[in-house]
Amino acid sequence: MDKRESQSFRCGTYVSTLFPAGSQKRHQPLFTDASTVRVQHRLSGPAASLLLEKITPSSVTALQPYHSTLSCLLHPGTGGIVDDTVITRLGPETFYLVTNAACREKDLAYLKSQIEASPLPKHIDWQILDGWGLVALQGPLSAEILQNALNSANASDLDGGAFNLQALYFGQCKHLIVEVPSSSDDVGQAPILVSRGGYTGEDGFEISVPPPLTQVFTEYLLKHAGPEKLRLAGLGARDSLRLEAGMCLYGHDLNDDITPVEGGLSWVVHKDRRTDGGFHGDGIILQQLKPAKEGGTPPSKRRVGLMIEGAPAREGAQIVAVEDGAEVGHITSGCPSPTLGKNIAMGYVKNGMHKAGTEVEVMIRGKRRKALITKMPFVKSRYWKQAAGTAPG
């Protein structure tokens, strides 16, 4: 992908189909590495929320139906992040989870062990939605494109009524029934779950579709919108967009040894959980959240954003002090920003050096390059938010 093509994704609209691990059917023109990006789960039963409030720091009982929250699966004792996840409440005790397929085996073993260890394991029904696809439609024209496509597909909500995406805000979702025409297969009516959000910082949608519909639905979107408005994108474009938006990639910016506080994700620990605790690692995480003057124990490291002069920094590059060149951290993600025309990166530095405006240096090919600790996101997010009444914003 050349620079001009990368730049077009910030001002354009793209779609990528994310097939689950183990899926045998692939749409060959799609970016191949996107074949194992997400795993979808359904948790239900009288003890589902009890489990989720043990393994995550989120207040899932306060989550409104058809609303979502980003969260983290946590290790017992340490509070380290097993994986990041999006939790959506579909009913009183029915939840939809999306996790990273790169962590599939680890996540499945973790969830199995946590369910078995819960006080009421027989009151939790866990389904892995193998075969289901996740279609990511992202960019400024995504709402227009999807609305037109849904109208042509006779989309309706579960009550049979028409649906307007203007009423669906960031972090919300809706079950719809669609009829997608296909030249090869007659799929008839099919259910989809449309969620407003994504991994780019742009307005957009992630659409969960049943196994027979993934390729058909993607082709339908592309054909209906036309190549001038919509085209396929791969992980390269998505990675630069998520980095510009200051979003973490598990296995790089987050791992089993990093807590949400260290990872700059303190906001996933919801307000009531900070008082009541009750989640894995609460002893460590709540101490990290508490100010030192109140007896807290600040984390030894923190995730930061950096602007770097000269060559771009890559994962593993050392961050050093300007004064003496002593190592103070390391880079976890980095790339040239197509939007800003500058080199951006994320990394971890010692606590106390994490404040925006702090000058450091990064070792790149044996040379010390000037860098500045910078607030994230690097590029302002443009989500469709209810609070503002309009979007982006």
Side-chain angles (χ1 to χ4, degrees):
M1 179 182 299
D2 64 26
K3 184 177 180 180
R4 288 176 299 174
E5 185 178 3
S6 296
Q7 288 174 325
S8 72
F9 286 109
R10 181 61 67 183
C11 59
T13 303
Y14 78 80
V15 60
S16 60
T17 305
L18 314 178
F19 289 91
S23 175
Q24 298 300 310
K25 190 173 183 180
R26 293 186 179 183
H27 182 196
Q28 294 303 321
L30 296 175
F31 191 81
T32 307
D33 287 349
S35 61
T36 54
V37 177
R38 296 284 186 263
V39 179
Q40 301 174 71
H41 313 254
R42 184 184 179 94
L43 276 172
S44 60
S49 60
L50 183 68
L51 172 71
L52 288 173
E53 292 206 337
K54 185 66 175 179
I55 65 177
T56 78
S58 300
S59 302
V60 298
T61 53
L63 199 60
Q64 295 297 310
Y66 289 95
H67 284 63
S68 304
T69 184
L70 178 68
S71 191
C72 298
L73 303 176
L74 300 173
H75 282 291
T78 67
I81 299 172
V82 178
D83 198 3
D84 56 292
T85 182
V86 175
I87 303 173
T88 302
R89 191 172 198 168
L90 299 179
E93 287 290 344
T94 301
F95 299 89
Y96 166 68
L97 277 68
V98 178
T99 56
N100 291 298
C103 301
R104 179 185 171 93
E105 297 308 318
K106 180 179 74 168
D107 289 349
L108 297 189
Y110 171 85
L111 288 169
K112 182 176 183 294
S113 68
Q114 293 301 309
I115 291 171
E116 291 174 347
S118 69
L120 300 168
K122 294 183 179 180
H123 292 268
I124 300 170
D125 180 43
W126 171 37
Q127 294 176 291
I128 306 164
L129 302 180
D130 272 332
W132 282 67
L134 198 62
V135 179
L137 177 66
Q138 301 283 298
L141 297 179
S142 57
E144 174 190 327
I145 289 169
L146 184 57
Q147 186 69 68
N148 290 338
L150 291 175
N151 291 344
S152 296
N154 298 316
S156 62
D157 60 27
L158 297 184
D159 296 323
F163 182 67
N164 189 341
L165 290 174
Q166 289 284 110
L168 190 71
Y169 296 98
F170 176 76
Q172 298 180 357
C173 66
K174 190 75 172 179
H175 270 124
L176 300 176
I177 303 296
V178 297
E179 299 174 357
V180 178
S182 170
S183 59
S184 56
D185 299 301
D186 181 11
V187 297
Q189 289 189 332
I192 62 173
L193 180 67
V194 178
S195 301
R196 196 153 201 165
Y199 195 50
T200 64
E202 294 292 323
D203 184 27
F205 304 86
E206 291 192 342
I207 307 143
S208 178
V209 295
L213 194 60
T214 305
Q215 178 175 334
V216 171
F217 189 74
T218 305
E219 291 174 341
Y220 171 69
L221 285 176
L222 290 165
K223 183 178 180 180
H224 196 274
E228 295 302 316
K229 286 189 175 182
L230 183 64
R231 52 178 164 159
L232 292 166
L235 296 183
R238 194 194 66 156
D239 196 53
S240 63
L241 288 168
R242 70 92 187 167
L243 187 50
E244 289 182 339
M247 296 178 173
C248 299
L249 179 61
Y250 192 88
H252 300 265
D253 312 301
L254 302 173
N255 61 44
D256 297 285
D257 299 319
I258 293 171
T259 68
V261 182
E262 293 169 332
L265 300 175
S266 298
W267 52 271
V268 306
V269 186
H270 293 169
K271 187 176 181 179
D272 62 316
R273 310 306 307 277
R274 299 185 181 205
T275 302
D276 303 334
F279 52 87
H280 287 330
D282 56 357
I284 290 176
I285 292 171
L286 296 182
Q287 275 295 106
Q288 290 179 339
L289 286 170
K290 187 184 297 184
K293 62 183 180 182
E294 297 178 13
T297 307
S300 60
K301 59 188 176 185
R302 293 182 185 269
R303 180 174 65 93
V304 295
L306 300 98
M307 289 275 196
I308 303 169
E309 294 183 11
R314 302 301 183 186
E315 182 176 3
Q318 290 182 348
I319 303 172
V320 301
V322 173
E323 298 77 15
D324 57 7
E327 184 175 356
V328 296
H330 65 280
I331 298 295
T332 55
S333 292
C335 73
S337 165
T339 304
L340 301 176
K342 298 179 180 180
N343 296 316
I344 60 173
M346 280 187 209
Y348 283 82
V349 297
K350 292 180 180 179
N351 189 55
M353 298 194 69
H354 63 283
K355 295 182 179 179
T358 301
E359 294 181 353
V360 294
E361 292 178 334
V362 179
M363 296 297 298
I364 302 174
R365 302 189 187 97
K367 295 183 178 181
R368 289 167 62 169
R369 302 284 188 176
K370 293 182 179 180
L372 190 69
I373 304 297
T374 306
K375 288 184 178 180
M376 295 183 285
F378 298 102
V379 176
K380 184 180 178 182
S381 299
R382 298 190 286 188
Y383 302 124
W384 186 271
K385 292 185 177 181
Q386 188 171 10
T390 59

